[in-house]
Amino acid sequence: MPTTWYEGQVIEIKPVSQKIKRFFIVLPDVATFDFEPGQFITFDLPISDKRTNRWKSYSIANAPDGSNILELCIVHLEGGSGSGYFFNDVKVGSVLKFKGPDGAFVLRQPLDFDLVLLCTGTGVAPFKSMVDHIFFNKIPFKKIHLIFGTRKEEDIIYRQEFESYAAVNNNFTYD
């Protein structure tokens, strides 16, 4: 199957903390971008002549909703060429080239087993996509326990969303 490359335009950038930003990207030429919660996309960024140095992958943080908008949650790594590009060069209106979705880190259905989701930092992005998908689509599940770690309280990503899920469903816990 040939690789499909897309062009997406950054429509919003939301700072979470000094080192973390949420990027929202629309695909103007696509009505719906289909993916499974937990998958990622790979950008071809203008940061090197060598393809292997230009391709940077990021998990999709939003749940599939039939739209053409993607959310990424990116941490600025010191010396990171991809995250450095996103933080220093990408602005609202920037056009980015990417391929995907890819990845097999997706939910197995039916959810007739307990899930423990353990992550740190922006590693929460695929879990955010999965949990949103479960709640938005009212997918039955046994128990989900999301454990999120970070060094600083300011870097707790999606706290309100996860706490609101825990408040309305006793089978979802968040630490």
Side-chain angles (χ1 to χ4, degrees), residues 35 63 72 75 83 127 147:
F35 63 95
L72 306 175
V75 64
S83 65
F127 295 146
I147 303 168

Side-chain angles (χ1 to χ4, degrees), residues 16-20 75 121-122 124 148-158:
V16 174
S17 69
Q18 284 186 336
K19 292 189 173 195
I20 300 171
V75 64
T122 56
V124 74
F148 175 80
T150 186
R151 288 190 173 110
K152 297 178 183 174
E153 188 170 0
E154 70 183 27
D155 293 333
I156 299 175
I157 311 163
Y158 307 117

Side-chain angles (χ1 to χ4, degrees):
M1 184 164 153
T3 301
T4 302
W5 287 92
Y6 300 91
E7 283 194 347
Q9 184 174 29
V10 177
I11 57 171
E12 187 175 6
I13 301 171
K14 289 185 178 181
V16 174
S17 69
Q18 284 186 336
K19 292 189 173 195
I20 300 171
K21 290 182 182 179
R22 296 166 60 192
F23 293 83
F24 296 84
I25 300 169
V26 66
L27 287 72
D29 299 330
V30 178
T32 300
F33 186 77
D34 295 319
F35 63 95
E36 290 186 59
Q39 289 191 303
F40 63 89
I41 57 176
T42 301
F43 290 91
D44 187 354
L45 301 175
I47 55 176
S48 174
D49 291 335
K50 193 173 179 184
R51 176 181 50 87
T52 54
N53 293 336
R54 289 192 323 260
W55 286 14
K56 303 295 179 185
S57 298
Y58 297 95
S59 293
I60 302 168
N62 60 304
D65 61 3
S67 77
N68 63 346
I69 296 175
L70 299 175
E71 177 186 348
L72 306 175
C73 187
I74 299 176
V75 64
H76 191 189
L77 297 174
E78 193 171 319
S81 58
S83 65
Y85 180 77
F86 270 93
F87 272 69
N88 299 322
D89 299 311
V90 172
K91 310 285 184 241
V92 171
S94 294
V95 175
L96 304 169
K97 181 179 174 183
F98 70 91
K99 66 180 182 113
D102 291 303
F105 183 62
V106 296
L107 290 170
R108 190 183 76 201
Q109 303 267 341
L111 294 175
D112 55 359
F113 50 92
D114 292 347
L115 277 174
V116 176
L117 308 175
L118 179 64
C119 59
T120 61
T122 56
V124 74
F127 295 146
K128 167 82 166 43
S129 179
M130 292 175 186
V131 171
D132 281 354
H133 179 73
I134 290 166
F135 277 91
F136 294 167
N137 293 288
K138 298 179 174 54
I139 296 171
F141 63 92
K142 285 182 81 171
K143 289 187 178 180
I144 299 174
H145 188 162
L146 173 59
I147 303 168
F148 175 80
T150 186
R151 288 190 173 110
K152 297 178 183 174
E153 188 170 0
E154 70 183 27
D155 293 333
I156 299 175
I157 311 163
Y158 307 117
R159 181 181 203 162
Q160 286 184 311
E161 291 93 329
F162 293 135
E163 287 178 350
S164 69
Y165 290 149
V168 297
N169 190 311
N170 292 335
N171 289 338
F172 179 81
T173 54
Y174 170 65
D175 290 306

